[in-house]
Amino acid sequence: MLIVGLTGGIGAGKSTVAELLSFHGAAVVDVDALGREIIAPGGSAVEPVVERFGDHLRGPDGGIDRPALAAIVFNDPSELAALNEISHPAINDLLDERIETIAAKGVADVVVLDMAVLVESALGRDTRFPYEVVVTVEAPPDVRLQRLTGRGMTADDAKARLASQATDDQRREVSNFVIGNGGGTDELADAARQLWDALRNLADERAA
Ligand code: ADP
């Protein structure tokens, strides 16, 4: 299997590309969703987070109260680093489990890890199945802002999120493929098909 890290700034269209690749036959793992799963009721990071940040973070359902946790870590880089030290290994463990399940089923030659924080972390790298190819989806900041406010985010929140992430240059530096998504959905579908062909070729070369 070829493991692909798919990233991009918020609003660039990363999840849309993941969906298109899944349509072509890739198995997609939503790594951002794994981050929510580990602190949901019964998640492996619940107890370590409570231990580090306090019992008041345990919500009524037994999972972590995410807004309360966000209020602590998003105003303090050292607290965020402490959370990442707990959460990233837990996410990577879950990621390994998911990839193992996909491998056992034998349903896909290409596994796409849909992840916002590829450049900024060791997610998807410090694992038993690290990604071998990186794809970045890009769109101009004004287009991304427009998309984000279009899906209900306030302009201030959208700008803050854009500013907190890695830059396109940083993502480009580690990318094997860059998909421009400043245009329409038809153009994106074409680009995704070409990307799929290239990924399939890589997967086939590896299998040969
Ligand atoms: P990301 O995962 O990078 O944050 P999404 O794939 O969720 O971005 O896309 C953000 C929003 O923009 C979604 O509502 C999506 O449907 C829309 N979108 C993505 N690509 C295009 C495009 N080429 N044209 C118009 N809207 C798009």
Side-chain angles (χ1 to χ4, degrees):
M1 289 190 316
L2 181 75
I3 316 281
V4 180
L6 172 67
T7 192
I10 183 168
K14 164 181 70 72
S15 302
T16 308
V17 171
E19 215 170 282
L20 290 164
L21 292 174
S22 146
F23 167 76
H24 286 296
V28 175
V29 182
D30 183 345
V31 178
D32 301 335
L34 299 185
R36 294 189 288 276
E37 214 172 306
I38 55 160
I39 55 169
S44 64
V46 170
E47 294 311 321
V49 165
V50 165
E51 220 166 88
R52 170 62 178 74
F53 294 96
D55 202 43
H56 65 286
L57 287 184
R58 201 191 299 273
D61 61 0
I64 296 295
D65 177 346
R66 283 172 45 208
L69 180 61
I72 298 174
V73 301
F74 287 124
N75 291 310
D76 185 337
S78 68
E79 295 289 74
L80 179 60
L83 174 63
N84 287 343
E85 257 177 53
I86 296 170
S87 63
H88 286 179
I91 293 171
N92 277 339
D93 283 348
L94 204 49
L95 186 53
D96 275 336
E97 272 178 36
R98 294 293 147 87
I99 296 176
E100 242 169 19
T101 305
I102 293 166
K105 285 186 187 155
V107 286
D109 297 332
V110 178
V111 180
V112 173
L113 313 183
D114 179 354
M115 49 195 298
V117 289
L118 182 142
V119 170
E120 301 91 331
S121 77
L123 290 178
R125 268 191 292 138
D126 285 353
T127 61
R128 277 185 291 131
F129 308 100
Y131 56 76
E132 306 148 88
V133 172
V134 175
V135 177
T136 289
V137 183
E138 280 185 1
D142 56 323
V143 174
R144 291 163 57 196
L145 265 181
Q146 217 168 24
R147 287 183 189 148
L148 293 174
T149 51
R151 73 180 182 195
M153 203 180 267
T154 67
D156 280 348
D157 280 352
K159 279 183 194 158
R161 289 290 293 275
L162 253 72
S164 74
Q165 295 188 320
T167 63
D168 280 343
D169 281 347
Q170 287 170 313
R171 278 186 284 262
R172 260 174 187 264
E173 224 165 85
V174 298
S175 294
N176 304 88
F177 299 92
V178 176
I179 303 279
N181 183 27
T185 47
D186 287 352
E187 246 173 86
L188 185 63
D190 283 345
R193 192 175 318 110
Q194 283 175 27
L195 172 66
W196 174 249
D197 288 343
L199 295 175
R200 279 304 318 244
N201 283 339
L202 278 177
D204 288 348
E205 269 171 31
R206 282 258 310 271

PDB file of all heavy atoms in Angstrom, residues 151-175:
ATOM      1  N   ARG A 151     -19.165  28.815   4.679  1.00  0.00           N
ATOM      2  CA  ARG A 151     -19.683  27.666   5.436  1.00  0.00           C
ATOM      3  C   ARG A 151     -19.907  28.017   6.907  1.00  0.00           C
ATOM      4  O   ARG A 151     -19.918  27.166   7.778  1.00  0.00           O
ATOM      5  CB  ARG A 151     -18.817  26.421   5.235  1.00  0.00           C
ATOM      6  CG  ARG A 151     -17.485  26.405   5.908  1.00  0.00           C
ATOM      7  CD  ARG A 151     -16.722  25.104   5.614  1.00  0.00           C
ATOM      8  NE  ARG A 151     -15.459  25.095   6.322  1.00  0.00           N
ATOM      9  CZ  ARG A 151     -14.473  24.264   6.068  1.00  0.00           C
ATOM     10  NH1 ARG A 151     -14.555  23.384   5.126  1.00  0.00           N
ATOM     11  NH2 ARG A 151     -13.361  24.318   6.780  1.00  0.00           N
ATOM     12  N   GLY A 152     -20.072  29.309   7.175  1.00  0.00           N
ATOM     13  CA  GLY A 152     -20.591  29.719   8.486  1.00  0.00           C
ATOM     14  C   GLY A 152     -19.581  30.257   9.477  1.00  0.00           C
ATOM     15  O   GLY A 152     -19.948  30.669  10.573  1.00  0.00           O
ATOM     16  N   MET A 153     -18.277  30.266   9.124  1.00  0.00           N
ATOM     17  CA  MET A 153     -17.285  30.785  10.068  1.00  0.00           C
ATOM     18  C   MET A 153     -17.270  32.318   9.990  1.00  0.00           C
ATOM     19  O   MET A 153     -17.477  32.866   8.912  1.00  0.00           O
ATOM     20  CB  MET A 153     -15.907  30.223   9.676  1.00  0.00           C
ATOM     21  CG  MET A 153     -14.901  30.193  10.804  1.00  0.00           C
ATOM     22  SD  MET A 153     -13.304  29.514  10.271  1.00  0.00           S
ATOM     23  CE  MET A 153     -13.474  27.806  10.671  1.00  0.00           C
ATOM     24  N   THR A 154     -17.026  33.010  11.103  1.00  0.00           N
ATOM     25  CA  THR A 154     -16.928  34.475  11.015  1.00  0.00           C
ATOM     26  C   THR A 154     -15.589  34.830  10.358  1.00  0.00           C
ATOM     27  O   THR A 154     -14.636  34.050  10.418  1.00  0.00           O
ATOM     28  CB  THR A 154     -16.977  35.144  12.404  1.00  0.00           C
ATOM     29  OG1 THR A 154     -15.790  34.781  13.118  1.00  0.00           O
ATOM     30  CG2 THR A 154     -18.206  34.701  13.201  1.00  0.00           C
ATOM     31  N   ALA A 155     -15.528  36.017   9.744  1.00  0.00           N
ATOM     32  CA  ALA A 155     -14.307  36.424   9.035  1.00  0.00           C
ATOM     33  C   ALA A 155     -13.124  36.487  10.003  1.00  0.00           C
ATOM     34  O   ALA A 155     -12.003  36.084   9.661  1.00  0.00           O
ATOM     35  CB  ALA A 155     -14.523  37.762   8.343  1.00  0.00           C
ATOM     36  N   ASP A 156     -13.357  36.962  11.243  1.00  0.00           N
ATOM     37  CA  ASP A 156     -12.275  37.067  12.225  1.00  0.00           C
ATOM     38  C   ASP A 156     -11.728  35.690  12.604  1.00  0.00           C
ATOM     39  O   ASP A 156     -10.515  35.482  12.665  1.00  0.00           O
ATOM     40  CB  ASP A 156     -12.758  37.792  13.491  1.00  0.00           C
ATOM     41  CG  ASP A 156     -12.771  39.301  13.283  1.00  0.00           C
ATOM     42  OD1 ASP A 156     -12.207  39.766  12.265  1.00  0.00           O
ATOM     43  OD2 ASP A 156     -13.360  40.007  14.122  1.00  0.00           O
ATOM     44  N   ASP A 157     -12.656  34.742  12.851  1.00  0.00           N
ATOM     45  CA  ASP A 157     -12.230  33.376  13.197  1.00  0.00           C
ATOM     46  C   ASP A 157     -11.446  32.763  12.047  1.00  0.00           C
ATOM     47  O   ASP A 157     -10.416  32.116  12.250  1.00  0.00           O
ATOM     48  CB  ASP A 157     -13.445  32.482  13.500  1.00  0.00           C
ATOM     49  CG  ASP A 157     -13.969  32.700  14.910  1.00  0.00           C
ATOM     50  OD1 ASP A 157     -13.293  33.418  15.676  1.00  0.00           O
ATOM     51  OD2 ASP A 157     -15.053  32.175  15.226  1.00  0.00           O
ATOM     52  N   ALA A 158     -11.957  32.972  10.822  1.00  0.00           N
ATOM     53  CA  ALA A 158     -11.307  32.391   9.646  1.00  0.00           C
ATOM     54  C   ALA A 158      -9.894  32.958   9.497  1.00  0.00           C
ATOM     55  O   ALA A 158      -8.936  32.206   9.263  1.00  0.00           O
ATOM     56  CB  ALA A 158     -12.129  32.666   8.394  1.00  0.00           C
ATOM     57  N   LYS A 159      -9.750  34.275   9.677  1.00  0.00           N
ATOM     58  CA  LYS A 159      -8.420  34.896   9.554  1.00  0.00           C
ATOM     59  C   LYS A 159      -7.479  34.369  10.628  1.00  0.00           C
ATOM     60  O   LYS A 159      -6.297  34.106  10.371  1.00  0.00           O
ATOM     61  CB  LYS A 159      -8.543  36.420   9.676  1.00  0.00           C
ATOM     62  CG  LYS A 159      -8.982  37.068   8.371  1.00  0.00           C
ATOM     63  CD  LYS A 159      -9.024  38.581   8.515  1.00  0.00           C
ATOM     64  CE  LYS A 159      -9.773  39.191   7.350  1.00  0.00           C
ATOM     65  NZ  LYS A 159     -10.297  40.527   7.626  1.00  0.00           N
ATOM     66  N   ALA A 160      -7.991  34.207  11.851  1.00  0.00           N
ATOM     67  CA  ALA A 160      -7.157  33.710  12.956  1.00  0.00           C
ATOM     68  C   ALA A 160      -6.684  32.283  12.653  1.00  0.00           C
ATOM     69  O   ALA A 160      -5.520  31.944  12.882  1.00  0.00           O
ATOM     70  CB  ALA A 160      -7.933  33.743  14.269  1.00  0.00           C
ATOM     71  N   ARG A 161      -7.589  31.453  12.130  1.00  0.00           N
ATOM     72  CA  ARG A 161      -7.219  30.073  11.820  1.00  0.00           C
ATOM     73  C   ARG A 161      -6.161  30.037  10.713  1.00  0.00           C
ATOM     74  O   ARG A 161      -5.200  29.287  10.786  1.00  0.00           O
ATOM     75  CB  ARG A 161      -8.444  29.264  11.375  1.00  0.00           C
ATOM     76  CG  ARG A 161      -9.423  28.969  12.490  1.00  0.00           C
ATOM     77  CD  ARG A 161      -8.831  27.969  13.485  1.00  0.00           C
ATOM     78  NE  ARG A 161      -8.640  26.660  12.893  1.00  0.00           N
ATOM     79  CZ  ARG A 161      -9.575  25.738  12.815  1.00  0.00           C
ATOM     80  NH1 ARG A 161     -10.769  25.953  13.306  1.00  0.00           N
ATOM     81  NH2 ARG A 161      -9.332  24.576  12.266  1.00  0.00           N
ATOM     82  N   LEU A 162      -6.360  30.865   9.683  1.00  0.00           N
ATOM     83  CA  LEU A 162      -5.396  30.920   8.582  1.00  0.00           C
ATOM     84  C   LEU A 162      -4.013  31.314   9.108  1.00  0.00           C
ATOM     85  O   LEU A 162      -2.999  30.711   8.739  1.00  0.00           O
ATOM     86  CB  LEU A 162      -5.845  31.943   7.528  1.00  0.00           C
ATOM     87  CG  LEU A 162      -6.393  31.407   6.207  1.00  0.00           C
ATOM     88  CD1 LEU A 162      -7.770  30.790   6.367  1.00  0.00           C
ATOM     89  CD2 LEU A 162      -6.493  32.537   5.188  1.00  0.00           C
ATOM     90  N   ALA A 163      -3.998  32.309   9.992  1.00  0.00           N
ATOM     91  CA  ALA A 163      -2.722  32.832  10.485  1.00  0.00           C
ATOM     92  C   ALA A 163      -2.013  31.840  11.400  1.00  0.00           C
ATOM     93  O   ALA A 163      -0.789  31.860  11.508  1.00  0.00           O
ATOM     94  CB  ALA A 163      -2.953  34.148  11.226  1.00  0.00           C
ATOM     95  N   SER A 164      -2.776  30.939  12.062  1.00  0.00           N
ATOM     96  CA  SER A 164      -2.165  30.029  13.036  1.00  0.00           C
ATOM     97  C   SER A 164      -1.515  28.824  12.361  1.00  0.00           C
ATOM     98  O   SER A 164      -0.779  28.072  12.994  1.00  0.00           O
ATOM     99  CB  SER A 164      -3.220  29.543  14.033  1.00  0.00           C
ATOM    100  OG  SER A 164      -4.063  28.591  13.406  1.00  0.00           O
ATOM    101  N   GLN A 165      -1.797  28.627  11.070  1.00  0.00           N
ATOM    102  CA  GLN A 165      -1.302  27.415  10.408  1.00  0.00           C
ATOM    103  C   GLN A 165       0.036  27.653   9.702  1.00  0.00           C
ATOM    104  O   GLN A 165       0.467  28.784   9.540  1.00  0.00           O
ATOM    105  CB  GLN A 165      -2.324  26.935   9.379  1.00  0.00           C
ATOM    106  CG  GLN A 165      -3.632  26.489  10.025  1.00  0.00           C
ATOM    107  CD  GLN A 165      -4.569  25.837   9.023  1.00  0.00           C
ATOM    108  OE1 GLN A 165      -4.690  26.281   7.890  1.00  0.00           O
ATOM    109  NE2 GLN A 165      -5.230  24.786   9.445  1.00  0.00           N
ATOM    110  N   ALA A 166       0.646  26.561   9.269  1.00  0.00           N
ATOM    111  CA  ALA A 166       1.874  26.653   8.477  1.00  0.00           C
ATOM    112  C   ALA A 166       1.572  27.427   7.186  1.00  0.00           C
ATOM    113  O   ALA A 166       0.407  27.571   6.797  1.00  0.00           O
ATOM    114  CB  ALA A 166       2.365  25.251   8.132  1.00  0.00           C
ATOM    115  N   THR A 167       2.611  27.912   6.534  1.00  0.00           N
ATOM    116  CA  THR A 167       2.402  28.655   5.289  1.00  0.00           C
ATOM    117  C   THR A 167       2.429  27.699   4.101  1.00  0.00           C
ATOM    118  O   THR A 167       2.920  26.568   4.202  1.00  0.00           O
ATOM    119  CB  THR A 167       3.514  29.697   5.090  1.00  0.00           C
ATOM    120  OG1 THR A 167       4.765  28.981   4.956  1.00  0.00           O
ATOM    121  CG2 THR A 167       3.611  30.654   6.267  1.00  0.00           C
ATOM    122  N   ASP A 168       1.924  28.174   2.961  1.00  0.00           N
ATOM    123  CA  ASP A 168       1.970  27.354   1.749  1.00  0.00           C
ATOM    124  C   ASP A 168       3.416  27.009   1.393  1.00  0.00           C
ATOM    125  O   ASP A 168       3.691  25.907   0.920  1.00  0.00           O
ATOM    126  CB  ASP A 168       1.304  28.093   0.584  1.00  0.00           C
ATOM    127  CG  ASP A 168      -0.219  27.987   0.660  1.00  0.00           C
ATOM    128  OD1 ASP A 168      -0.717  27.101   1.386  1.00  0.00           O
ATOM    129  OD2 ASP A 168      -0.897  28.778  -0.013  1.00  0.00           O
ATOM    130  N   ASP A 169       4.331  27.953   1.619  1.00  0.00           N
ATOM    131  CA  ASP A 169       5.745  27.681   1.308  1.00  0.00           C
ATOM    132  C   ASP A 169       6.271  26.518   2.134  1.00  0.00           C
ATOM    133  O   ASP A 169       6.980  25.644   1.615  1.00  0.00           O
ATOM    134  CB  ASP A 169       6.609  28.922   1.590  1.00  0.00           C
ATOM    135  CG  ASP A 169       6.502  29.936   0.462  1.00  0.00           C
ATOM    136  OD1 ASP A 169       5.976  29.553  -0.608  1.00  0.00           O
ATOM    137  OD2 ASP A 169       6.918  31.089   0.651  1.00  0.00           O
ATOM    138  N   GLN A 170       5.917  26.505   3.423  1.00  0.00           N
ATOM    139  CA  GLN A 170       6.381  25.408   4.289  1.00  0.00           C
ATOM    140  C   GLN A 170       5.809  24.070   3.820  1.00  0.00           C
ATOM    141  O   GLN A 170       6.495  23.055   3.832  1.00  0.00           O
ATOM    142  CB  GLN A 170       5.952  25.660   5.742  1.00  0.00           C
ATOM    143  CG  GLN A 170       6.745  26.762   6.416  1.00  0.00           C
ATOM    144  CD  GLN A 170       6.142  27.139   7.759  1.00  0.00           C
ATOM    145  OE1 GLN A 170       4.927  27.338   7.894  1.00  0.00           O
ATOM    146  NE2 GLN A 170       6.981  27.237   8.767  1.00  0.00           N
ATOM    147  N   ARG A 171       4.547  24.107   3.380  1.00  0.00           N
ATOM    148  CA  ARG A 171       3.936  22.860   2.922  1.00  0.00           C
ATOM    149  C   ARG A 171       4.557  22.410   1.595  1.00  0.00           C
ATOM    150  O   ARG A 171       4.825  21.240   1.378  1.00  0.00           O
ATOM    151  CB  ARG A 171       2.418  23.032   2.793  1.00  0.00           C
ATOM    152  CG  ARG A 171       1.703  22.885   4.124  1.00  0.00           C
ATOM    153  CD  ARG A 171       0.200  22.921   3.957  1.00  0.00           C
ATOM    154  NE  ARG A 171      -0.267  24.266   3.724  1.00  0.00           N
ATOM    155  CZ  ARG A 171      -0.767  25.040   4.670  1.00  0.00           C
ATOM    156  NH1 ARG A 171      -0.894  24.613   5.904  1.00  0.00           N
ATOM    157  NH2 ARG A 171      -1.165  26.257   4.388  1.00  0.00           N
ATOM    158  N   ARG A 172       4.781  23.409   0.702  1.00  0.00           N
ATOM    159  CA  ARG A 172       5.395  23.088  -0.597  1.00  0.00           C
ATOM    160  C   ARG A 172       6.719  22.371  -0.436  1.00  0.00           C
ATOM    161  O   ARG A 172       7.047  21.457  -1.182  1.00  0.00           O
ATOM    162  CB  ARG A 172       5.670  24.390  -1.350  1.00  0.00           C
ATOM    163  CG  ARG A 172       4.630  24.682  -2.370  1.00  0.00           C
ATOM    164  CD  ARG A 172       4.824  26.023  -3.015  1.00  0.00           C
ATOM    165  NE  ARG A 172       3.675  26.245  -3.853  1.00  0.00           N
ATOM    166  CZ  ARG A 172       3.653  25.976  -5.154  1.00  0.00           C
ATOM    167  NH1 ARG A 172       4.727  25.556  -5.766  1.00  0.00           N
ATOM    168  NH2 ARG A 172       2.553  26.153  -5.840  1.00  0.00           N
ATOM    169  N   GLU A 173       7.491  22.854   0.542  1.00  0.00           N
ATOM    170  CA  GLU A 173       8.834  22.324   0.745  1.00  0.00           C
ATOM    171  C   GLU A 173       8.840  20.805   0.956  1.00  0.00           C
ATOM    172  O   GLU A 173       9.809  20.138   0.572  1.00  0.00           O
ATOM    173  CB  GLU A 173       9.431  22.987   1.986  1.00  0.00           C
ATOM    174  CG  GLU A 173      10.855  23.435   1.810  1.00  0.00           C
ATOM    175  CD  GLU A 173      11.231  24.386   2.910  1.00  0.00           C
ATOM    176  OE1 GLU A 173      11.633  23.891   3.972  1.00  0.00           O
ATOM    177  OE2 GLU A 173      11.089  25.619   2.712  1.00  0.00           O
ATOM    178  N   VAL A 174       7.796  20.280   1.569  1.00  0.00           N
ATOM    179  CA  VAL A 174       7.775  18.840   1.863  1.00  0.00           C
ATOM    180  C   VAL A 174       6.861  18.063   0.911  1.00  0.00           C
ATOM    181  O   VAL A 174       6.642  16.874   1.097  1.00  0.00           O
ATOM    182  CB  VAL A 174       7.343  18.563   3.329  1.00  0.00           C
ATOM    183  CG1 VAL A 174       8.320  19.186   4.306  1.00  0.00           C
ATOM    184  CG2 VAL A 174       5.927  19.064   3.595  1.00  0.00           C
ATOM    185  N   SER A 175       6.343  18.756  -0.114  1.00  0.00           N
ATOM    186  CA  SER A 175       5.333  18.113  -0.960  1.00  0.00           C
ATOM    187  C   SER A 175       5.915  17.455  -2.200  1.00  0.00           C
ATOM    188  O   SER A 175       6.830  17.985  -2.817  1.00  0.00           O
ATOM    189  CB  SER A 175       4.296  19.146  -1.420  1.00  0.00           C
ATOM    190  OG  SER A 175       3.580  19.619  -0.320  1.00  0.00           O
TER     191      SER A 175
END
